[in-house]
């Protein structure tokens, strides 16, 4: 494998996968299930940059390709994650070197936009130096569990996740999800493979994907949720045909996860709603349409 930019920056070889997984676990502390998911289903050497000191990997960065929809068109973009340096090697400028190499690589591949989710305010300041100044925001609504059973609502939701559903139903669920995500003006799009990865990740966290179906088995609403405490769950994405289906689904999820409250995330568009920051974006190509209220969700962060 030829070095990408400098003598010590390169794409990993086949034999580096295990070392990268160990480095990820050491730095981020994710459980074995998530690390296996990432390096089995998401990781690709061509989308990874590393710095080596002799045969030891001391820093790494992952560039995951996504499409971004802006208006009626979609463009190639990338999501940067897993930026890390071994603790003993920090303070030597490796992250800066990797990020500059990543910016060059994304532009060379024709990506028009890059996104990431900083783990701390200090890192936000660091990423702003590379042009990550566009905030990716969301709003929340806290819903409390109703005393009325979800079964007495208009429709009773059905549940599914990667462990209990057949491929046919997952494909049908993705088709509904894909239709709904593309109705947004400015958003990061998820492929069918992303959808399956999201289901698996939620299942690892004790959550899953829930749907509302009509009498003809057509999906009318879909939500992605996981417990975040003994009394709360977080619904990170929700699409529905009507508010009635939405309320039914939220109530059913709270019952299924045995919690009293649901923190529901929504795209931040209302001037009255409180805004929370999820991540940052960098425009790599000024010739694209204006990026306004870009929505980012369901990333494996």
């Amino acid at each position: 494998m030829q070095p990408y930019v400098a003598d010590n920056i390169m794409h990993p070889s086949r034999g580096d996968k295990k070392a990268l997984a160990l480095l990820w676990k050491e730095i981020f502390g994710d459980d074995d299930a998530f690390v296996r998911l990432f390096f089995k289903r998401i990781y690709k050497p061509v989308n990874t940059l590393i710095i080596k000191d002799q045969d030891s990997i001391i820093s790494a960065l992952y560039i995951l390709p996504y499409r971004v929809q802006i208006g009626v068109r979609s463009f190639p973009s990338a999501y940067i994650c897993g930026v890390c340096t071994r603790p003993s090697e920090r303070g030597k400028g490796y992250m800066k070197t990797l990020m500059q190499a990543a910016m060059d690589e994304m532009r060379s591949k024709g990506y028009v936009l890059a996104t990431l989710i900083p783990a701390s305010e200090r890192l936000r300041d660091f990423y702003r130096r590379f042009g990550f100044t566009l905030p990716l925001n969301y709003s929340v609504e806290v819903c409390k569990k109703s005393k009325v059973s979800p079964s007495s609502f208009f429709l009773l939701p059905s549940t599914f996740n990667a462990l209990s559903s057949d491929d046919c139903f997952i494909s049908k669920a993705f088709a509904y999800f894909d239709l709904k995500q593309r109705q947004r003006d400015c958003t990061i799009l998820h492929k069918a493979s992303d959808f399956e990865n999201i289901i698996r990740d939620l299942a690892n966290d004790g959550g899953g994907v829930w749907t509302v179906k009509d009498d003809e088995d057509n999906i009318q609403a879909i939500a992605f949720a996981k417990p975040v405490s003994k009394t709360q769950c977080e619904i990170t994405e929700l699409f529905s045909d009507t508010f009635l289906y939405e309320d039914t689904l939220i109530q059913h999820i709270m019952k299924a996860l045995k919690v009293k409250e649901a923190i529901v995330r929504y795209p931040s568009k209302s001037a009255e709603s409180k805004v929370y920051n999820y991540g940052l974006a960098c425009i790599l190509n000024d010739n694209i349409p204006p990026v306004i209220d870009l929505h980012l969700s369901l990333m494996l962060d």
Side-chain angles (χ1 to χ4, degrees):
M1 178 70 66
Q2 292 297 315
Y4 172 63
V5 175
D7 290 342
N8 61 341
I9 300 181
M10 62 191 71
H11 296 293
S13 63
R14 182 178 299 180
D16 290 325
K17 184 175 180 179
K18 183 177 180 180
L20 283 166
L22 289 173
L23 180 62
W24 183 294
K25 186 171 177 62
E26 175 190 352
I27 301 301
F28 301 113
D30 290 311
D31 59 29
D32 291 339
F34 178 86
V35 176
R36 283 196 300 269
L37 170 66
F38 186 88
F39 284 94
K40 182 179 180 179
R41 296 181 58 88
I42 301 169
Y43 163 78
K44 292 182 179 180
V46 70
N47 295 331
T48 306
L49 293 177
I50 63 173
I51 295 178
K52 277 188 172 184
D53 181 8
Q54 297 181 359
D55 292 330
S56 177
I57 298 173
I58 58 177
S59 195
L61 176 152
Y62 304 84
I63 305 170
L64 308 183
Y66 285 86
R67 300 291 295 183
V68 57
Q69 178 166 289
I70 306 173
V72 297
R73 299 174 61 191
S74 72
F75 304 87
S77 71
Y79 171 63
I80 296 178
C81 69
V83 184
C84 62
T85 299
R86 199 171 296 282
S88 61
E89 302 296 330
R90 290 174 181 169
K92 300 178 181 179
Y94 291 129
M95 277 185 64
K96 179 180 178 181
T97 302
L98 268 186
M99 278 298 300
Q100 189 57 63
M103 301 303 288
D104 293 343
E105 176 139 318
M106 288 187 293
R107 288 189 172 95
S108 71
K109 289 184 175 181
Y111 295 141
V112 303
L113 181 88
T115 57
L116 49 78
I117 302 173
S120 67
E121 193 59 38
R122 180 183 64 82
L123 286 175
R124 289 179 185 276
D125 292 337
F126 171 77
Y127 291 126
R128 287 188 183 104
R129 303 176 201 169
F130 297 92
F132 287 86
T133 57
L134 181 66
L136 307 176
N137 297 326
Y138 66 93
S139 299
V140 300
E141 178 181 338
V142 179
C143 300
K144 296 186 179 296
K145 188 175 181 181
S146 173
K147 294 181 180 179
V148 180
S149 171
S151 61
S152 63
F153 281 65
F154 184 65
L155 287 176
L156 178 65
S158 61
T159 64
F160 75 95
N161 57 46
L163 302 178
S164 63
S165 296
D166 58 64
D167 292 339
C168 179
F169 187 61
I170 291 179
S171 297
K172 195 171 185 178
F174 173 72
Y176 177 83
F177 167 75
D178 190 45
L179 173 67
K180 290 296 184 180
Q181 70 171 344
R182 292 177 185 275
Q183 290 174 355
R184 288 177 172 160
D185 293 331
C186 197
T187 189
I188 299 296
L189 299 172
H190 292 276
K191 307 185 299 292
S193 58
D194 301 329
F195 186 75
E196 293 185 25
N197 293 334
I198 292 163
I199 294 173
R200 292 171 184 269
D201 187 40
L202 287 171
N204 289 338
D205 291 335
V209 182
W210 282 262
T211 65
V212 174
K213 298 187 295 181
D214 62 17
D215 293 337
E216 297 179 352
D217 211 36
N218 297 311
I219 295 174
Q220 306 293 312
I222 189 169
F224 304 75
K226 63 181 179 181
V228 291
S229 72
K230 292 182 178 180
T231 60
Q232 288 185 321
C233 69
E234 184 177 48
I235 298 176
T236 53
E237 188 67 278
L238 190 157
F239 293 101
S240 65
D241 289 351
T242 73
F243 288 116
L244 179 59
Y245 298 143
E246 186 174 312
D247 189 54
T248 301
L249 194 49
I250 293 170
Q251 289 296 323
H252 184 85
I253 289 171
M254 284 190 283
K255 182 180 179 181
L257 295 180
K258 299 179 181 179
V259 296
K260 297 179 180 179
E261 290 183 342
I263 304 167
V264 188
R265 289 191 185 188
Y266 294 98
S268 179
K269 290 186 177 180
S270 171
E272 294 78 23
S273 62
K274 185 174 181 180
V275 171
Y276 298 85
N277 186 254
Y278 186 46
L280 298 170
C282 173
I283 306 298
L284 302 174
N285 187 328
D286 293 332
N287 294 323
I288 61 173
V291 179
I292 302 172
D293 293 324
L294 176 65
H295 186 61
L296 179 77
S297 67
L298 300 174
M299 312 306 288
L300 300 185
D301 57 338

